[in-house]
Amino acid sequence: MNREPLVFVGTSDLAGLVRGKGFPAAELPRRMRRGVGLTHSNIMMSAFGPIYETPFGTEGDLVLMPDPTTKVEVGFDDAAERFYLADILTTDGDHWECCPRHFLRRALTALNDLDTQAGLSLLAAFEQEFVYTGVEDRPGATYALDAHRRQGTFGESYMAALRAAGLTPDSFLPEYGARQYEVTIDPTRGLRAADEAVIQREMARAVAHRLGNRAIFAPILDPDGVGNGTHIHFSLRDGADRPVFHDPARPYGLTPIGEHFVAGLLYHLPVLTAITAPSAVSYYRLRPNRWAPTWANIGVQDRGASIRVCPIFGKDGAAQQFNVEFRVADAAASPYLALGALVWAGVDGIRQRRPLPAPPERNFWEMSEAERQAAGVRALPRSLCQALDGLAASEAAREWFGELFFDVYLRFKRAELRAVDGRSETATCARYAEIY
């Protein structure tokens, strides 16, 4: 049977899913110049498929414009994965205000344009957890060589696919949860970091599919189980590509500009959750005793903290290694929106010269809830509804998004909540597991 190669162009949308259009590969040169058509209400496609509501109606046209730097062509026995990630443009060629990729780009531009230190850029990497269905769940498999062995060829095929897609794999390991694995890639700069997070997820799905299985990135599969987090590691560089985040003589090991950036995240953290943990089931993961954050706090090498100052290994290259980890995120979030929200909050921290609290005098987890609150530490939202209410009240977030995009995002997520209203927690987990 004859076959004609196809190319897909898409973007990670408000549901964190890659959606777009395909066309014959022979048309690629023309499509790279002109893009492919889209309509405004495409952005309102829910995680579950239907457009539950839209302010755009049926009118209007947009353009998905592929970015040539995001080309993925990875061969498999049945058919290659060929796709590009794209910006959403108007028919006049301007960036559309509701484009998730441009949300991040605008934040990175604001960071670069700060008067305090010209030329700042972000170095980031996404650490992603998922459940691989091709492995039998066995007791005692947590972090075990046995679990590493029994995934068969998946891990090696996944690493090869990542490298063929232009990414640099760092680690592949069995994780804490049942049939759970974690993959990390090397950090990269700015917009590319989010592009690679999208590609990283899609390559896991592509390889698992070829093996007759699934890689499930849903935030949690069982309300009483262990969740899948997406942890974002980041640091800052100056215009000469020098690290500007680390000062071992200061609290938390952060330079003043690093302190202000991280303090911005801490200040806005309860609002950020509506963007970085944006599903109903995200908040089943963010519960006590889940190895997931429940408080808007910063900790040094503390995996229970929302913001974790990571360790430095060895004595060489401390400033190059030093990074901070944001742990209140999952794969229901578009990497563009999640990383963009972090950058916007960090930019606000630098602009306002926000300070971090002094390191606690005793272990945070030995403090009572009343003591934490007395110290000014806030609990994270307990539900997406609560998180969205906080987002809606944030004038800062309204500025990050812009009026239209802010309204669109809130409508979109509230409609998603209505779609699972009345389901049990178990049924809601199953619904999201079908999608992610």
Side-chain angles (χ1 to χ4, degrees):
M1 182 181 296
N2 293 330
R3 288 167 31 182
E4 182 171 357
L6 293 171
V7 177
F8 188 87
V9 173
T11 193
S12 180
D13 63 10
L14 302 189
L17 300 173
V18 178
R19 289 175 166 138
K21 293 186 176 182
F23 52 85
E27 291 289 308
L28 184 59
R30 183 170 67 90
R31 297 296 187 179
M32 295 301 291
R33 297 192 305 270
R34 297 172 56 181
V36 297
L38 198 71
T39 190
H40 298 70
S41 286
N42 279 111
I43 202 71
M44 304 304 290
M45 289 182 183
S46 69
F48 312 120
I51 298 173
Y52 294 120
E53 70 167 275
T54 174
F56 304 115
T58 58
E59 297 179 344
D61 286 286
L62 296 164
V63 178
L64 266 177
M65 184 59 68
D67 182 336
T69 69
T70 67
K71 176 184 177 181
V72 171
E73 184 163 0
V74 179
F76 291 95
D77 291 339
D78 57 348
E81 292 276 331
R82 296 185 189 88
F83 64 85
Y84 289 80
L85 301 176
D87 290 298
I88 306 176
L89 307 182
T90 69
T91 53
D92 293 328
D94 299 321
H95 288 285
W96 187 42
E97 57 198 306
C98 298
C99 172
R101 200 165 183 255
H102 195 55
F103 176 79
L104 172 56
R105 183 184 287 106
R106 290 192 297 106
L108 294 168
T109 299
L111 177 66
N112 184 264
D113 290 346
L114 284 169
D115 293 335
T116 52
Q117 188 165 345
L120 283 178
S121 62
L122 185 82
L123 191 69
F126 286 65
E127 176 184 303
Q128 307 205 57
E129 297 168 345
F130 58 90
V131 169
Y132 178 54
T133 63
V135 177
E136 176 193 8
D137 179 26
R138 291 183 186 173
T142 300
Y143 290 96
L145 176 59
D146 176 61
H148 181 84
R149 176 186 303 121
R150 287 187 295 105
Q151 51 78 28
T153 62
F154 171 77
E156 293 185 357
S157 299
Y158 185 21
M159 295 300 100
L162 289 174
R163 205 173 295 278
L167 281 59
T168 304
D170 175 72
S171 67
F172 173 84
L173 61 142
E175 251 285 354
Y176 188 59
R179 303 186 297 169
Q180 186 182 51
Y181 293 83
E182 176 186 282
V183 169
T184 62
I185 55 177
D186 279 1
T188 190
R189 196 67 56 87
L191 192 66
R192 179 65 185 177
D195 288 336
E196 292 198 356
V198 176
I199 296 167
Q200 183 182 0
R201 291 177 190 171
E202 294 308 313
M203 287 299 97
R205 290 171 171 137
V207 172
H209 169 70
R210 266 69 182 196
L211 294 172
N213 299 301
R214 290 186 63 205
I216 303 176
F217 286 84
I220 194 166
L221 278 66
D222 177 347
D224 297 319
V226 176
N228 291 317
T230 295
H231 306 147
I232 305 173
H233 292 255
F234 61 91
S235 62
L236 296 179
R237 300 291 179 115
D238 66 13
D241 198 29
R242 295 171 300 202
V244 294
F245 227 44
H246 183 49
D247 183 346
R250 299 188 77 253
Y252 302 105
L254 287 160
T255 61
I257 202 163
E259 175 184 358
H260 298 325
F261 187 94
V262 174
L265 271 63
L266 195 62
Y267 178 83
H268 291 289
L269 218 160
V271 169
L272 293 177
T273 60
I275 307 168
T276 63
S279 75
V281 297
S282 298
Y283 297 84
Y284 306 168
R285 184 179 81 89
L286 301 176
R287 289 175 175 173
N289 304 315
R290 297 284 178 88
W291 284 80
T294 54
W295 294 85
N297 67 319
I298 180 172
V300 177
Q301 299 174 33
D302 181 356
R303 285 177 170 80
S306 289
I307 299 173
R308 172 181 174 248
V309 179
C310 296
I312 295 169
F313 296 96
K315 298 181 180 180
D316 298 328
Q320 296 284 348
Q321 284 189 48
F322 184 79
N323 70 93
V324 174
E325 178 186 20
F326 182 85
R327 295 179 59 82
V328 195
D330 60 51
S334 168
Y336 302 118
L337 294 180
L339 191 57
L342 266 61
V343 175
W344 279 120
V347 166
D348 174 77
I350 294 173
R351 285 174 175 164
Q352 303 299 326
R353 301 182 65 82
R354 298 194 188 279
L356 283 171
E361 294 182 0
R362 65 192 185 95
N363 187 296
F364 179 81
W365 304 107
E366 294 175 355
M367 299 166 63
S368 68
E369 184 170 328
E371 287 175 313
R372 293 170 190 166
Q373 292 175 341
V377 182
R378 296 161 294 170
L380 294 180
R382 296 296 186 238
S383 68
L384 179 57
C385 181
Q386 185 181 350
L388 290 172
D389 287 346
L391 178 66
S394 171
E395 288 303 316
R398 185 182 298 273
E399 291 182 8
W400 304 343
F401 278 91
E403 285 290 341
L404 175 61
F405 199 6
F406 193 62
D407 175 65
V408 161
Y409 186 80
L410 287 168
R411 284 190 189 213
F412 180 86
K413 282 298 169 184
R414 284 174 170 156
E416 182 178 316
L417 274 180
R418 291 194 296 272
V420 295
D421 186 43
R423 292 174 180 260
S424 69
E425 290 188 353
T426 299
T428 304
C429 284
R431 187 76 175 101
Y432 279 94
E434 289 175 339
I435 307 303
Y436 292 97

